[in-house]
Amino acid sequence: MNRLETIKKVLDEKKAEDIEVIDLTDKDYLVDYVVIATTLNSKHGFALLNYLKTELKPLGEEFLRVDDDDEWTICDLGDMFINLMSESARKKYSLEEFLSQLDNKEV
């Protein structure tokens, strides 16, 4: 199972909603992939972060940075961001729309 499949599996098993993986390998952005999932509440977001760490760290995954508050947790894995967002934050910031408007990389 690859990293993205593992992340999606953990999020799905732990009741995250609307899990989306966005491939940005051909876009001009900081990372190659962005995972977005909706949390049920702030405690759920915190729990999801802990489940991800528990499952991924033994596989050699390194969480370079984690920023979190009650509405949004972002995990920087180097080549990937995982966004755990409340439903209201997801609507407000509409990350999917922003990422869909990125330019392709210059060749």
Side-chain angles (χ1 to χ4, degrees), residues 22-35:
I22 301 170
D23 182 345
L24 299 168
T25 53
D26 63 341
K27 302 288 184 183
D28 191 16
Y29 194 60
L30 303 167
V31 294
D32 292 335
Y33 296 94
V34 172
V35 178

Side-chain angles (χ1 to χ4, degrees), residues 21 41 51 82 89:
V21 176
N41 54 48
Y51 289 128
I82 302 173

Side-chain angles (χ1 to χ4, degrees), residues 2-32:
N2 73 31
R3 296 166 67 212
L4 287 169
E5 290 170 346
T6 301
I7 291 166
K8 283 176 62 175
K9 178 178 173 265
V10 170
L11 292 173
D12 184 54
E13 286 177 353
K14 301 304 178 185
K15 307 296 187 235
E17 299 178 343
D18 301 321
I19 302 163
E20 187 169 346
V21 176
I22 301 170
D23 182 345
L24 299 168
T25 53
D26 63 341
K27 302 288 184 183
D28 191 16
Y29 194 60
L30 303 167
V31 294
D32 292 335

Side-chain angles (χ1 to χ4, degrees), residues 24-59:
L24 299 168
T25 53
D26 63 341
K27 302 288 184 183
D28 191 16
Y29 194 60
L30 303 167
V31 294
D32 292 335
Y33 296 94
V34 172
V35 178
I36 305 171
T38 302
T39 62
L40 303 175
N41 54 48
S42 60
K43 288 183 180 179
H44 185 229
F46 183 73
L48 287 172
L49 172 61
N50 285 329
Y51 289 128
L52 287 168
K53 286 181 174 180
T54 299
E55 292 291 325
L56 298 174
K57 282 188 174 183
L59 302 176

